Amino acid sequence: MNKKEIKINPDKGKRVTYVVVFSIVVLLYVIMLKNNAVDHTLGIALISLFAGLTLYFLYSIFFPKPAIIINEEGIKENIIKGAGLIKWNKISEIYICVIPKKKYDVFFLGVNYHKDENDKRRVKFKGKVNEKLGDALIVLDGLEMQPYDIYNNIQKYYSKFIKK
């Protein structure tokens, strides 16, 4: 790992669960296909689909793609519908956003942009808020690192490598 870059990977536990579940589904469809409980064409299509999903998640366990990258440019979310690269000079505030759900709380990294592009003030770290706010939100659930550890690493990174 580069000294000037922090990579945070998705949690492997959820992907291992997907591999197990999809493998069981493939096995069930193979058994159903052998016992003629499902149409041959449909059975082959479903087996192919779930076997492909199993291989995809198995590949992602051994070769993970970082979900969040923090470097000199900014904070980059690598998830499909993510915020993309958020440059440091656009950020005015960073904070943890907690949205309570019935079974668990959902954690986001909230980011507010400068309202004026000429405003180059330093990033403020606000701590925790209990509502969904911000110009950009990065989901912090399902990652190898805990939400507050990610927040603290961003603070340390910013103060060490970015802040002038």
Side-chain angles (χ1 to χ4, degrees):
M1 184 168 85
N2 186 357
K3 280 185 181 179
K4 294 187 178 182
E5 187 169 80
I6 298 172
K7 293 182 180 182
I8 303 166
N9 294 322
D11 186 26
K12 289 184 180 180
K14 190 180 277 188
R15 291 177 288 165
V16 168
T17 303
Y18 289 149
V19 167
V20 170
V21 169
F22 290 140
S23 297
I24 291 170
V25 171
V26 167
L27 182 63
L28 288 174
Y29 277 118
V30 167
I31 292 169
M32 289 172 66
L33 190 63
K34 286 192 177 212
N35 293 329
N36 294 324
V38 67
D39 180 54
H40 183 73
T41 308
L42 178 64
I44 295 294
L46 290 171
I47 290 170
S48 300
L49 172 70
F50 288 108
L53 287 170
T54 302
L55 291 174
Y56 169 76
F57 285 109
L58 196 58
Y59 178 83
S60 71
I61 290 170
F62 293 108
F63 305 102
K65 177 182 161 187
I68 298 174
I69 300 171
I70 302 157
N71 58 25
E72 303 93 21
E73 295 179 43
I75 303 169
K76 183 177 181 184
E77 184 179 19
N78 273 344
I79 299 172
I80 295 171
K81 290 185 177 181
L85 177 65
I86 303 171
K87 295 186 178 189
W88 291 114
N89 61 356
K90 286 183 144 186
I91 299 173
S92 68
E93 293 177 325
I94 296 176
Y95 49 89
I96 291 286
C97 206
V98 183
I99 300 177
K101 299 287 182 179
K102 287 183 180 176
K103 293 184 180 181
Y104 57 89
D105 293 340
V106 179
F107 291 87
F108 294 92
L109 184 68
V111 177
N112 280 332
Y113 297 138
H114 290 296
K115 300 304 176 201
D116 179 11
E117 283 297 319
N118 297 325
D119 187 4
K120 303 294 182 196
R121 290 177 290 162
R122 295 187 175 119
V123 175
K124 296 177 197 164
F125 290 89
K126 286 176 67 172
K128 177 182 165 185
V129 295
N130 287 325
E131 54 189 66
K132 187 174 178 179
L133 300 169
D135 298 319
L137 293 170
I138 298 173
V139 179
L140 298 180
D141 290 334
L143 301 176
E144 287 179 339
M145 204 179 289
Q146 293 299 316
Y148 290 103
D149 294 336
I150 294 170
Y151 177 78
N152 291 334
N153 277 326
I154 290 171
Q155 266 186 316
K156 288 176 191 171
Y157 182 89
Y158 182 78
S159 64
K160 187 174 182 181
F161 294 110
I162 306 297
K163 193 174 175 183
K164 304 278 185 217

